[in-house]
Amino acid sequence: MRLKSVAALAIAMTVLLPATACSSSSDESGGPVKLTFSTYAWQKDTVAATKDIVASWNASHPDAQVELVQVDADSVHDKLVTQFNGGNPPDVIHDESADIHGFAEQGYLADLSTLLSANTKSQVSQGVWDSVTFDGKVYGMPTLMQSYNVFVNTDLLAKAGVSLPTADQPWTWDDFQAAARKTTSGSTFGAGWGLKSPVSAIMSLSMNFNGSFFTTNGDKTEFQFGDAEKQLLARTHAMIYADKSLAPTSTSMATGDVLPGFFGGKYAMIIAGNYNVQQIMEQAPKGFAWKMLPPIKGESTSQAANPQTLSVAAQSKHPKEAAQFIEYYANAENLAKLAQGDRLIPTTSDAAQAVMAQTKGANGWDTMILSGKSLAVAPFQKAEAYPQWKSQIATPAFQQFFANKISIDVLGNQLKSGWQTVNTR
Amino acid sequence: MGLTSTEVRSESSNERRSRGSRQRRQRQQQRREAYLLLVPALIPVLIFSVYPLLNGIYLGFTDSRAGFNRTTHFTGFENYVRLLDNSRFWESFKIGLVWAFGVTAIQFLLALGLALLLNQRLRMRWLVRTLALVPWAMPSVIVAIMWRLVYHPDAGLLNDVLTRMHLINENINWLADFSFALPAVIAVGVWAGMPQTTVTLLAGLQGVPGELHEAGAVDGATAWQRFWHVTLPQLRPVIVAITSLDFVWNFNSFGLVYVLTEGGPGGKTMLPMLFAYNEGFKYGNFGYAAAMGNAMVVLIIGLMAFYLWSRMREAA
Amino acid sequence: MNTRTRPVIRLLQYAALAGFLVFLAFPLVWMVSTAFKPPQEIVSLHPTLIPNHPTLSNFTMALEESSLVRAGMNSLLVAISTALLTVLISLPASYALVRYRTWLRKVSLGWILVSQIFPQILIVIPLFMIMKQLQLLNSLVGLVLVYLVWALPFTLWMLQGYVRAIPPELEQAAAVDGAGKVRTLVSVVLPLLAPGLVATSMFTFVISWNEFFLALVFLQNPDLNTLPLALARFIGAEGAVRLGPLAAGSLLATLPGLVFFAILQRRLTSGLMSGSVKG
C-alpha cells in the first residue's frame, strides 16, 4: 500500500463523509415545525401502516412535519435512556406502559391529560387509562394491547374428545387442566407454555384469581403472597410435575419458541400472546387446523393491561403539535389499520368497532376484541421498584420454581425478601 | 552503528557544559517531535475517550441516578460499601471469571490447534483460513440469533443431530437448562472469538525461524519435542499477549450472552457487565453501576498484575 | 515445516482440519440454508440442511424492507474511513510511544487498559452529551470519530509491537546517510510496518462493520443506518424474530466481509508475522 494512495483515499473519505452527514434539529426561526417520531413497529404490515400514517399526516399538515425513526423493540429502552439523559429525545415516543412508568417517575415525559381531547379520553376504558396514569397524570396514549390466550390444535382436541369453549362459556382453569390431561398421550403433551420470561405472564394471568401480589397505600407498596397469588403458580406447577401434561422443556422457552412444537403436534395447546396469530398464519404448515380460545377464567377473566403507548417527551419543544399527531395516529381508521397489522387489540372503542366491521370478526378477531374487555390495570404496574424486582428477583426465582429447584414457599420468601431489598425508596 | 559509538577522550569542563546544553536541546527537540507525532491521537482521545471515562469513573463515587433535573452528590465510598454486601453482584462476578477463563482457555487451545494446522502445507488452506474468519464477518447479534436457532429445543439442529446419533433421547433446552446454560454460552463465546486468536497465533508461528526447526530435527528431536522446546518458547510472548487481551475482552463482553439468555436461567449466565448494564440502564442507578465498573477495573487489573508489571517495566 | 510427515499423520491433520471447518462454518451454512427456506420450513421440528421448497422471497423482503443496500454503503463508508483514519493516527502515535521516552508512555498504557475494562455502556451518556455539544449527533462523521477512539487502544497496542520489532539501528543508519527524520520514517520504517498496518486496518474495519450499540445511539436519520441497524429491523419484541428475512439479510451483509477476507487472508497472516506482539 503506497503512502500516497492511502492518503488520497483518506482525504476522499473525509470529504465524502460530511456530504452524508445530516443532523436534524427543530427549526426555531419560523418555517414548519419538525417533529421526530420513534417507533418500534416491526411486523411488515404495521410498518407499512405506520409509514402511511406519517405520510398522510405530513401531506395534510405542511406546518408540522413528522420524521419517522424506526428502532428495534429490544433497543427502545436503552436508546431512550441515552437520549433522555443526553437531552436529545424524540418528540413522539412509541413505547409500552410498563416501560414508561420509569421514565415518567424520572420526569422525562409530558403530562398528556391537558393535551388530549375529551373525545379521545372517552374512547378508552378507565381501567386502561389507569395503566398509563401515574401520580394522577397521564403519561401516554394507550394504543394497542395484548392478552394471553390459549391456542389449540383442533384436530388433536377432537381426537381426544375434548369440546371447545364458546365466548359465553369460556374454559375455567380446571377445564383447561382437564383438557391438557386428556390430550397428553405418547409423545404429545397436552400443553406447552413458553415461560422463559415468566413474570409478565404469571402476574397478568394471576389477576384471574385476584392475585395482585402488591398493594399500594399512598406511596408505600407492600408485597403479599397469599392463596390468591399462589393459585396460578401452583396449578402450573401441578400441570408440569403432577399431571405431566405441560411440557417441562417448554417452560424454559421464549413465548414464540413453542410454535414449532405446536405445529409439529408436540403440544396440543399453547398459551401465548394473542399477537401470535400473525406468526401462526405465516408459519403454520398447510392443513394445520387451529383456533384461538376466548380468555380463560379463574374467578374472572381479568388480565393486566400493558398497552403500547405514544408519549410526548418533556423536553420536546412542540408538545402541542406532538399531541395532535398522537391523536391522529390513534384515530379510529388509523388505529384499526395498526391493530390489524400487529394483530393486537385496539384500545379505543371506535377503532375496535372499525376492526370488527372490516374483518367481520374472522381469524379470531371476534375473540380478540372480546378479550380486550378483560384488560385493566393491575396493582403491580403501580409499584415503582417493580422493574428491578421483576428482572433481578422474580425472573430467576420463577425460573427456578418452574424448573422444580425450589418449592412454592421458598419462592414466596425469595420474592418477599427480594422486594424488601429493592424497594428502598 | 556509527552514532552509538562514542570516542573515549577526556573533556574539559567547557566542553562538558556545552555537551550538557546540547543534550538538553536534543532532548527538547526529541520531546517536541514526540508530541507532534502524538497530537493527532491525543486530541480525539482526550475529547471522546478520556473525558467520558473520567466522568464515568467519577460517577462511581456519586449517587447519580437517571432523572430530569436531578442533582448528583458526591458520596465517597458509600456505593462500594453497599456493593460489598451485594451477593448478586459477587455471584455474577464469579460467573464472569468462570466465563472469561473458560472461553479464553478453550479458545486458546482450539486456536492454537487450528493455527498449527494452518501452518502446515495442507491443501485447501485458503478455504479454511477464510472460513476461520467467519465469526468476524457477522455482528454479534446475528451470531447470537443463529446460535439460538441451533440450540432451539424443538426445531434446533443440535438436538436433532444428537437424537439421530442416539446420544440423547429427550430434547434438551440448552440455553435454559440450569446445568447446560453456561457451557452452551461458553461454546458460543469460543466460536465468536476464534478469529482474532487464531490469526495472531498463526502469525506468531510464521515468525518462528525455520532454521530452529531444522536444527531440532537434525538433532533427532520428535515433532512433539520440537513443538514443546522450540516453538512454544518462541511463541510465548505472543501467547501471553493475546490471551491476556482475550481475557479482558471476554470478561467485558455481554452483548452475545444478553441475546442468548439475558442472564438466565436463574442468573446462571448473568455476566458482571450485564449486571452493571441492568443496574445503570434498566433501573437508572448510574452511580451504583459506575461503582461496579470501578470495582471490576480494580479487580481485573489486580488479577492481571503479574503480566502488567512486566509490561510496565518494558514501558519504562 | 521442512520435514516430511507420515501419511497417517497427514490423514489425521486433514481430519482435524475438517473438524475445525465444520465447527467454524456450520452457523454460516445454517444461515444460508435458513435464508432460502419458506417460513413453514424454518419452524419445522426436523430441520433439513437443504430446503425442500427453496424460495427467494426472504431476499426480496430483506432488500425491500430494510434498505439493505444503502445500509451496506453506509457501513462500508464508515468502516473504511475508520480503518484508514485509525491507522493514520495510530501509526505516528505508536512510533512516538516506542521510540521516545515520555511520561505519556505509562499513561497511555493505563488508559488502554482502563478503557478496555471499564464498562463501555457507562461511558455512552457523557459521550452522547459531548457529541450533542459538538453537533456530531446523527452524522456518519461523528460515528467515525467515536469508532476511531474506540479502536485506538487496540491499534496502538498492536502497532507498538510491530514498531518495536524494527531495529533502531536501521533508522540510525539512514540518519547517518543524511536522511531527515521524515524521510527516514517514510522510506525505512513505513515499508517494514506495511504488513502490520494491513493487519491493524483489517481488524479496525471488522469491528466498525459489526458495531451495533453506538450506531444505534448516535444515528437517527434512517438514511444513515448501518448494516447491523438495518438487520435489527427483523427483530421484534419478546424474542420474536422474522428469521427468514433476517437470515437472508445477514447473509448479504456477511458476504462482502468474507470476500474481503478471502482476498486479504494471505496478506493478513504474513502481515502479523513480522514481529507481532513479541511481549
Side-chain angles (χ1 to χ4, degrees), chain A residues 48-69:
Chain A
T50 312
K51 287 191 180 154
D52 285 343
I53 293 175
V54 172
S56 65
W57 164 275
N58 282 340
S60 51
H61 294 80
D63 48 337
Q65 294 287 291
V66 169
E67 184 194 359
L68 179 64
V69 177

PDB file of all heavy atoms in Angstrom, chain A residues 48-69:
ATOM      1  N   ALA A  48     -45.735  -0.775   7.317  1.00  0.00           N
ATOM      2  CA  ALA A  48     -46.336  -0.104   6.163  1.00  0.00           C
ATOM      3  C   ALA A  48     -47.433   0.848   6.611  1.00  0.00           C
ATOM      4  O   ALA A  48     -47.509   1.994   6.144  1.00  0.00           O
ATOM      5  CB  ALA A  48     -46.896  -1.153   5.200  1.00  0.00           C
ATOM      6  N   ALA A  49     -48.267   0.405   7.557  1.00  0.00           N
ATOM      7  CA  ALA A  49     -49.352   1.262   8.037  1.00  0.00           C
ATOM      8  C   ALA A  49     -48.789   2.515   8.706  1.00  0.00           C
ATOM      9  O   ALA A  49     -49.289   3.631   8.504  1.00  0.00           O
ATOM     10  CB  ALA A  49     -50.233   0.485   9.024  1.00  0.00           C
ATOM     11  N   THR A  50     -47.738   2.337   9.510  1.00  0.00           N
ATOM     12  CA  THR A  50     -47.138   3.491  10.190  1.00  0.00           C
ATOM     13  C   THR A  50     -46.597   4.487   9.177  1.00  0.00           C
ATOM     14  O   THR A  50     -46.808   5.709   9.303  1.00  0.00           O
ATOM     15  CB  THR A  50     -46.013   3.038  11.127  1.00  0.00           C
ATOM     16  OG1 THR A  50     -46.467   1.949  11.919  1.00  0.00           O
ATOM     17  CG2 THR A  50     -45.567   4.166  12.028  1.00  0.00           C
ATOM     18  N   LYS A  51     -45.902   3.978   8.173  1.00  0.00           N
ATOM     19  CA  LYS A  51     -45.351   4.890   7.164  1.00  0.00           C
ATOM     20  C   LYS A  51     -46.473   5.649   6.468  1.00  0.00           C
ATOM     21  O   LYS A  51     -46.353   6.856   6.201  1.00  0.00           O
ATOM     22  CB  LYS A  51     -44.537   4.099   6.129  1.00  0.00           C
ATOM     23  CG  LYS A  51     -43.211   3.617   6.665  1.00  0.00           C
ATOM     24  CD  LYS A  51     -42.324   3.082   5.550  1.00  0.00           C
ATOM     25  CE  LYS A  51     -40.998   2.617   6.137  1.00  0.00           C
ATOM     26  NZ  LYS A  51     -40.334   1.611   5.371  1.00  0.00           N
ATOM     27  N   ASP A  52     -47.586   4.932   6.175  1.00  0.00           N
ATOM     28  CA  ASP A  52     -48.720   5.605   5.529  1.00  0.00           C
ATOM     29  C   ASP A  52     -49.275   6.707   6.402  1.00  0.00           C
ATOM     30  O   ASP A  52     -49.595   7.802   5.921  1.00  0.00           O
ATOM     31  CB  ASP A  52     -49.835   4.591   5.247  1.00  0.00           C
ATOM     32  CG  ASP A  52     -49.492   3.707   4.073  1.00  0.00           C
ATOM     33  OD1 ASP A  52     -48.585   4.081   3.306  1.00  0.00           O
ATOM     34  OD2 ASP A  52     -50.136   2.647   3.938  1.00  0.00           O
ATOM     35  N   ILE A  53     -49.399   6.411   7.693  1.00  0.00           N
ATOM     36  CA  ILE A  53     -49.972   7.405   8.613  1.00  0.00           C
ATOM     37  C   ILE A  53     -49.103   8.653   8.636  1.00  0.00           C
ATOM     38  O   ILE A  53     -49.591   9.793   8.561  1.00  0.00           O
ATOM     39  CB  ILE A  53     -50.107   6.812  10.030  1.00  0.00           C
ATOM     40  CG1 ILE A  53     -51.151   5.697  10.027  1.00  0.00           C
ATOM     41  CG2 ILE A  53     -50.482   7.881  11.032  1.00  0.00           C
ATOM     42  CD1 ILE A  53     -51.282   4.973  11.341  1.00  0.00           C
ATOM     43  N   VAL A  54     -47.794   8.457   8.737  1.00  0.00           N
ATOM     44  CA  VAL A  54     -46.892   9.610   8.776  1.00  0.00           C
ATOM     45  C   VAL A  54     -46.976  10.389   7.468  1.00  0.00           C
ATOM     46  O   VAL A  54     -47.029  11.628   7.455  1.00  0.00           O
ATOM     47  CB  VAL A  54     -45.442   9.149   9.056  1.00  0.00           C
ATOM     48  CG1 VAL A  54     -44.472  10.294   8.895  1.00  0.00           C
ATOM     49  CG2 VAL A  54     -45.332   8.564  10.445  1.00  0.00           C
ATOM     50  N   ALA A  55     -47.003   9.653   6.365  1.00  0.00           N
ATOM     51  CA  ALA A  55     -47.049  10.333   5.066  1.00  0.00           C
ATOM     52  C   ALA A  55     -48.327  11.149   4.928  1.00  0.00           C
ATOM     53  O   ALA A  55     -48.289  12.308   4.481  1.00  0.00           O
ATOM     54  CB  ALA A  55     -46.947   9.298   3.944  1.00  0.00           C
ATOM     55  N   SER A  56     -49.467  10.558   5.316  1.00  0.00           N
ATOM     56  CA  SER A  56     -50.713  11.300   5.138  1.00  0.00           C
ATOM     57  C   SER A  56     -50.782  12.475   6.099  1.00  0.00           C
ATOM     58  O   SER A  56     -51.326  13.532   5.767  1.00  0.00           O
ATOM     59  CB  SER A  56     -51.927  10.379   5.312  1.00  0.00           C
ATOM     60  OG  SER A  56     -52.001   9.905   6.632  1.00  0.00           O
ATOM     61  N   TRP A  57     -50.209  12.350   7.294  1.00  0.00           N
ATOM     62  CA  TRP A  57     -50.155  13.494   8.206  1.00  0.00           C
ATOM     63  C   TRP A  57     -49.320  14.611   7.591  1.00  0.00           C
ATOM     64  O   TRP A  57     -49.703  15.775   7.608  1.00  0.00           O
ATOM     65  CB  TRP A  57     -49.562  13.070   9.560  1.00  0.00           C
ATOM     66  CG  TRP A  57     -49.132  14.229  10.411  1.00  0.00           C
ATOM     67  CD1 TRP A  57     -47.945  14.892  10.369  1.00  0.00           C
ATOM     68  CD2 TRP A  57     -49.901  14.892  11.424  1.00  0.00           C
ATOM     69  NE1 TRP A  57     -47.922  15.913  11.279  1.00  0.00           N
ATOM     70  CE2 TRP A  57     -49.099  15.932  11.942  1.00  0.00           C
ATOM     71  CE3 TRP A  57     -51.196  14.696  11.935  1.00  0.00           C
ATOM     72  CZ2 TRP A  57     -49.548  16.782  12.957  1.00  0.00           C
ATOM     73  CZ3 TRP A  57     -51.626  15.535  12.950  1.00  0.00           C
ATOM     74  CH2 TRP A  57     -50.819  16.574  13.448  1.00  0.00           C
ATOM     75  N   ASN A  58     -48.122  14.224   7.074  1.00  0.00           N
ATOM     76  CA  ASN A  58     -47.249  15.243   6.506  1.00  0.00           C
ATOM     77  C   ASN A  58     -47.905  15.955   5.331  1.00  0.00           C
ATOM     78  O   ASN A  58     -47.716  17.152   5.124  1.00  0.00           O
ATOM     79  CB  ASN A  58     -45.916  14.616   6.075  1.00  0.00           C
ATOM     80  CG  ASN A  58     -45.007  14.367   7.266  1.00  0.00           C
ATOM     81  OD1 ASN A  58     -45.180  14.963   8.321  1.00  0.00           O
ATOM     82  ND2 ASN A  58     -44.033  13.495   7.086  1.00  0.00           N
ATOM     83  N   ALA A  59     -48.687  15.190   4.557  1.00  0.00           N
ATOM     84  CA  ALA A  59     -49.337  15.808   3.404  1.00  0.00           C
ATOM     85  C   ALA A  59     -50.385  16.819   3.853  1.00  0.00           C
ATOM     86  O   ALA A  59     -50.547  17.876   3.251  1.00  0.00           O
ATOM     87  CB  ALA A  59     -49.984  14.721   2.540  1.00  0.00           C
ATOM     88  N   SER A  60     -51.101  16.503   4.923  1.00  0.00           N
ATOM     89  CA  SER A  60     -52.176  17.407   5.338  1.00  0.00           C
ATOM     90  C   SER A  60     -51.738  18.412   6.401  1.00  0.00           C
ATOM     91  O   SER A  60     -52.512  19.278   6.782  1.00  0.00           O
ATOM     92  CB  SER A  60     -53.367  16.589   5.858  1.00  0.00           C
ATOM     93  OG  SER A  60     -52.922  15.665   6.830  1.00  0.00           O
ATOM     94  N   HIS A  61     -50.499  18.319   6.879  1.00  0.00           N
ATOM     95  CA  HIS A  61     -50.022  19.281   7.884  1.00  0.00           C
ATOM     96  C   HIS A  61     -48.668  19.822   7.474  1.00  0.00           C
ATOM     97  O   HIS A  61     -47.635  19.448   8.055  1.00  0.00           O
ATOM     98  CB  HIS A  61     -49.907  18.617   9.261  1.00  0.00           C
ATOM     99  CG  HIS A  61     -51.217  18.196   9.828  1.00  0.00           C
ATOM    100  ND1 HIS A  61     -51.857  17.046   9.446  1.00  0.00           N
ATOM    101  CD2 HIS A  61     -52.020  18.789  10.752  1.00  0.00           C
ATOM    102  CE1 HIS A  61     -52.992  16.929  10.106  1.00  0.00           C
ATOM    103  NE2 HIS A  61     -53.117  17.967  10.897  1.00  0.00           N
ATOM    104  N   PRO A  62     -48.643  20.695   6.479  1.00  0.00           N
ATOM    105  CA  PRO A  62     -47.350  21.206   5.997  1.00  0.00           C
ATOM    106  C   PRO A  62     -46.618  22.026   7.037  1.00  0.00           C
ATOM    107  O   PRO A  62     -45.401  22.224   6.936  1.00  0.00           O
ATOM    108  CB  PRO A  62     -47.742  22.075   4.789  1.00  0.00           C
ATOM    109  CG  PRO A  62     -49.180  22.377   4.964  1.00  0.00           C
ATOM    110  CD  PRO A  62     -49.783  21.258   5.737  1.00  0.00           C
ATOM    111  N   ASP A  63     -47.325  22.476   8.074  1.00  0.00           N
ATOM    112  CA  ASP A  63     -46.648  23.298   9.071  1.00  0.00           C
ATOM    113  C   ASP A  63     -46.103  22.475  10.229  1.00  0.00           C
ATOM    114  O   ASP A  63     -45.431  23.011  11.121  1.00  0.00           O
ATOM    115  CB  ASP A  63     -47.627  24.356   9.604  1.00  0.00           C
ATOM    116  CG  ASP A  63     -48.964  23.698   9.966  1.00  0.00           C
ATOM    117  OD1 ASP A  63     -49.250  22.610   9.412  1.00  0.00           O
ATOM    118  OD2 ASP A  63     -49.695  24.255  10.787  1.00  0.00           O
ATOM    119  N   ALA A  64     -46.390  21.187  10.254  1.00  0.00           N
ATOM    120  CA  ALA A  64     -45.825  20.319  11.303  1.00  0.00           C
ATOM    121  C   ALA A  64     -45.418  19.008  10.665  1.00  0.00           C
ATOM    122  O   ALA A  64     -46.229  18.119  10.471  1.00  0.00           O
ATOM    123  CB  ALA A  64     -46.864  20.080  12.403  1.00  0.00           C
ATOM    124  N   GLN A  65     -44.149  18.906  10.344  1.00  0.00           N
ATOM    125  CA  GLN A  65     -43.672  17.732   9.617  1.00  0.00           C
ATOM    126  C   GLN A  65     -43.087  16.700  10.572  1.00  0.00           C
ATOM    127  O   GLN A  65     -42.298  17.038  11.462  1.00  0.00           O
ATOM    128  CB  GLN A  65     -42.588  18.150   8.613  1.00  0.00           C
ATOM    129  CG  GLN A  65     -43.134  19.045   7.514  1.00  0.00           C
ATOM    130  CD  GLN A  65     -43.983  18.255   6.534  1.00  0.00           C
ATOM    131  OE1 GLN A  65     -43.473  17.436   5.799  1.00  0.00           O
ATOM    132  NE2 GLN A  65     -45.289  18.512   6.537  1.00  0.00           N
ATOM    133  N   VAL A  66     -43.474  15.444  10.380  1.00  0.00           N
ATOM    134  CA  VAL A  66     -43.025  14.361  11.256  1.00  0.00           C
ATOM    135  C   VAL A  66     -41.972  13.529  10.546  1.00  0.00           C
ATOM    136  O   VAL A  66     -42.161  13.114   9.412  1.00  0.00           O
ATOM    137  CB  VAL A  66     -44.216  13.470  11.670  1.00  0.00           C
ATOM    138  CG1 VAL A  66     -43.724  12.201  12.339  1.00  0.00           C
ATOM    139  CG2 VAL A  66     -45.146  14.231  12.586  1.00  0.00           C
ATOM    140  N   GLU A  67     -40.860  13.283  11.227  1.00  0.00           N
ATOM    141  CA  GLU A  67     -39.822  12.405  10.687  1.00  0.00           C
ATOM    142  C   GLU A  67     -39.908  11.075  11.426  1.00  0.00           C
ATOM    143  O   GLU A  67     -39.855  11.032  12.658  1.00  0.00           O
ATOM    144  CB  GLU A  67     -38.444  13.020  10.880  1.00  0.00           C
ATOM    145  CG  GLU A  67     -37.350  12.191  10.242  1.00  0.00           C
ATOM    146  CD  GLU A  67     -35.969  12.604  10.704  1.00  0.00           C
ATOM    147  OE1 GLU A  67     -35.872  13.551  11.501  1.00  0.00           O
ATOM    148  OE2 GLU A  67     -34.993  11.954  10.287  1.00  0.00           O
ATOM    149  N   LEU A  68     -40.064  10.006  10.666  1.00  0.00           N
ATOM    150  CA  LEU A  68     -40.228   8.682  11.266  1.00  0.00           C
ATOM    151  C   LEU A  68     -38.873   8.031  11.495  1.00  0.00           C
ATOM    152  O   LEU A  68     -38.057   7.961  10.599  1.00  0.00           O
ATOM    153  CB  LEU A  68     -41.068   7.810  10.331  1.00  0.00           C
ATOM    154  CG  LEU A  68     -41.341   6.371  10.781  1.00  0.00           C
ATOM    155  CD1 LEU A  68     -42.170   6.367  12.032  1.00  0.00           C
ATOM    156  CD2 LEU A  68     -42.071   5.627   9.679  1.00  0.00           C
ATOM    157  N   VAL A  69     -38.635   7.567  12.723  1.00  0.00           N
ATOM    158  CA  VAL A  69     -37.387   6.879  13.045  1.00  0.00           C
ATOM    159  C   VAL A  69     -37.744   5.496  13.574  1.00  0.00           C
ATOM    160  O   VAL A  69     -38.541   5.374  14.498  1.00  0.00           O
ATOM    161  CB  VAL A  69     -36.589   7.641  14.130  1.00  0.00           C
ATOM    162  CG1 VAL A  69     -35.341   6.873  14.496  1.00  0.00           C
ATOM    163  CG2 VAL A  69     -36.252   9.035  13.660  1.00  0.00           C
TER     164      VAL A  69
END
